Amino acid sequence: MIGSPSWWRRRSLQVRITLLAAAVTLGFLLGLAAVAGDNLRPLLIGSVDDELGAQLATATADVAAGRTPSGSAVTVRVLDTGGGPVDGLPPANLGPAEVRALKAGESVTTGGEHSWRWAGTVVTAPDGQQRLVVAGAGLVGFATAVHSGGLWLFVVASVGAVGAGIATWLLVRFALRPVARMRGSVRALPPGARLPLPDSHDELRALAEEFNALLARQEESAGRLRRFTGDAAHELRSPVASIRVQAEVAVTNPDPDLAQETLSDILEEAERLSSLLDGLLALARSDAGEVPPSEPVELVSEVRAVVARLARSSPDAPDIRVTGTVGTAWALATHAEVELVLSNLLRNACRYARGEIVVSVLAARSTVRVVVDDDGPGIEPEHRERVFDRFYRVSDSRARSSGGTGLGLAMVAEAVRRRGGRVRVGESPDGGARFQIVWQAARPH
């Protein structure tokens, strides 16, 4: 259906611009034609009145001088003030109302199909008598002229709209030619290449720049995906291969003690593999944009709960001390995200701390900070910007030595940043590592 929005949306930009231009032009010209048609009759009447007025002035001068008005292209009559002829000619076709109007200096139109236009004025003859001098002209073909003029105005308006539509079609096609060339360039663009930028600083250049930026982001994302896939494959291959080798040893060796030790190693590798898969799934969901609605989360109680769970599950873990804000501190996140962040940070600190870990919860007006300090070997400055990358390895005394997956800190950074927070790493007062998490503050329920 032509009038439906879906039909309009399916049309090309060239067609829509052309139709809009033609419609606007047609409406404008039809409006002008209507105005001109309404003013055509007064314009023609005004031109007749001007000619009658000129002839009337000459006739008036003749009557005032006692002369008979000279002949002309219009009819000139001399009447008395009652409308009766005094020029020896038959009575004029003027009624009392027309005579009164003519004496008042107003022009009048008489007759039906064959109408006349009259103009008149009162003049004093040499004998002292008042005379009504009138000049008239037949309006033959006047109605036809008005009708034909209005019709032609509408025809011209329609032709003008069609001409405007054709001109708009050609101009838009010419203007969109660079876009068509750009589309062809995009279709033939090889991997890694970019669109050439036009010399002119216009919308096309801006479009090309934005498209090149999009290509750069896409290639960067594809590169990250390839690196992530390769690192994930490498990380998965290691525990799977270890489990297979140890299982083969357990199968081929009938020694119960060795088999028990091998099964313990298999269990450890299986736990590492499960943790790695959980991390990969969490990061995949985050990359897919699955962000649950945020809610106020009380951080002090969450920190104490995570510390208590670590103490129960790892009796040999370093001492963990909670300091900072007394009372409550509310952050805008989810309970699962806060638990993931705190668990990974504290496990990472437990892995490298020598004797003590200090967790501080600091609340401000608009933010809430969680600071985790350990007294371990710390992280060198050149590694601090990359420790939150996926599968990044620090080749020093803080390198993974206890079964880490290389995804814990990456999940921490991802969970915090998608809530508009910040994560930083520095040096603690004891010389170890300091991790700072900043969340947006929230009002409690």
Side-chain angles (χ1 to χ4, degrees), residues 369-428:
R369 285 191 302 156
V370 175
V371 183
V372 178
D373 293 316
D374 65 57
D375 56 358
I379 300 176
E380 297 297 328
E382 61 269 19
H383 297 295
R384 291 174 185 173
E385 293 295 327
R386 300 194 59 191
V387 292
F388 297 104
D389 293 346
R390 302 172 185 183
F391 303 113
Y392 183 72
R393 298 288 186 269
V394 180
S395 57
D396 57 9
S397 58
R398 200 176 173 90
R400 182 191 55 163
S401 59
S402 59
T405 64
L407 291 177
L409 294 181
M411 290 189 292
V412 168
E414 188 69 24
V416 173
R417 288 169 182 165
R418 71 181 181 179
R419 293 298 178 188
R422 301 187 304 275
V423 55
R424 294 195 297 265
V425 61
E427 184 176 353
S428 72

Side-chain angles (χ1 to χ4, degrees), residues 53-76:
Q55 296 296 329
L56 186 62
T58 303
T60 300
D62 291 339
V63 173
R67 297 189 299 267
T68 301
S70 58
S72 63
V74 300
T75 299
V76 178

Side-chain angles (χ1 to χ4, degrees), residues 148-165:
S148 299
L151 181 62
W152 274 107
L153 286 173
F154 282 98
V155 171
V156 170
S158 303
V159 173
V162 173

Side-chain angles (χ1 to χ4, degrees), residues 41-67:
R41 181 183 182 87
L43 179 64
L44 294 176
I45 293 293
S47 64
V48 173
D49 288 345
D50 292 339
E51 185 176 354
L52 292 177
Q55 296 296 329
L56 186 62
T58 303
T60 300
D62 291 339
V63 173
R67 297 189 299 267

